[in-house]
Amino acid sequence: MTLFFIEQGDTEIGRDLVQLVKDYTGYESVLTHSESETLVWLRRQPNLRPRILLTQLQAPGLDGFILGALLGEMFAGLQTLFLPAYAASEQRMEVAGSKVFPEPIDGERLISTIERSVRMFSDAPDLFHVLDILQMCCLSKRSGAVQMVSGSNVGTAYLCDGQIVHAETATEYGDGALFEIVNWGEIEFAYERGVHAGVETIKKAWNALLIDALEEGRRRALPAWRQQTA
């Protein structure tokens, strides 16, 4: 049986989501309201392995990034979906296959994502598009560092109150590093709240920066003779 965990501080929304999932997928859901409650429930059900975690990104006593990382270490193949506090209208860019669901929650897209996640191999990596992670961090006014991994590529973006202030890869830093990272596409990530860049190499607003990174990626994908005129 596939288990579906929901972390929600708002019990009415949580109950509605549990019912939505049951009505349209038949999957039973477990609704918990804190990280500690979730861990206690799991300890009492040692033979059950959750496949999906739908969690608020942040709420009193809850950090969805930390919870997702913790449960991901416990259960290989766990797929995480995030409910951020900002509205869908605040998003600057749409991401195909997004695992982020701002309000108002698109129920049809949520069910489709759940079904797609359930069909994955049991040990499939929990992948997100770079744009999803960076946009979510910026709109949520996060500070800290986001390390992103794509195959052998590793890069880090540093944030301060929702602005990207520095980025690094093995060969680039600043804007060039962020341009490289954005064009990796799907990545695994880890977030550390207390890490600071120590230097600011990026000045442009995050949304303009990400759009520039996408445009640069498209330009670099053109044949050399087209790059001169693109």
Side-chain angles (χ1 to χ4, degrees), residues 88-104:
S89 59
E90 296 181 59
Q91 293 189 127
R92 302 296 196 273
M93 54 199 70
E94 298 294 327
V95 178
S98 175
K99 295 162 68 177
V100 180
F101 297 86
E103 293 188 13

Side-chain angles (χ1 to χ4, degrees), residues 71-85:
L71 295 187
E73 291 179 358
M74 296 170 61
F75 304 103
L78 181 74
Q79 300 296 306
T80 307
L81 316 180
F82 289 111
L83 302 172

Side-chain angles (χ1 to χ4, degrees), residues 113-130:
T113 302
I114 290 170
E115 294 285 18
R116 185 174 69 248
S117 299
V118 168
R119 291 194 297 269
M120 291 181 176
F121 294 114
S122 59
D123 59 349
D126 193 14
L127 298 177
F128 289 81
H129 196 284
V130 173

Side-chain angles (χ1 to χ4, degrees), residues 5-52:
F5 284 80
I6 296 176
E7 279 284 340
Q8 263 287 348
D10 186 327
T11 55
E12 184 176 346
I13 293 177
R15 285 193 296 267
D16 289 346
L17 288 172
V18 167
Q19 194 62 49
L20 177 72
V21 171
K22 184 175 182 179
D23 289 346
Y24 286 91
T25 70
Y27 304 141
E28 294 292 339
S29 307
V30 175
L31 175 62
T32 58
H33 304 97
S34 68
E35 179 180 324
S36 59
E37 183 182 344
T38 303
L39 295 175
V40 167
W41 193 93
L42 287 169
R43 283 196 292 270
R44 292 175 177 172
Q45 312 289 332
N47 296 322
L48 298 180
R49 300 183 62 82
R51 290 294 305 277
I52 299 173

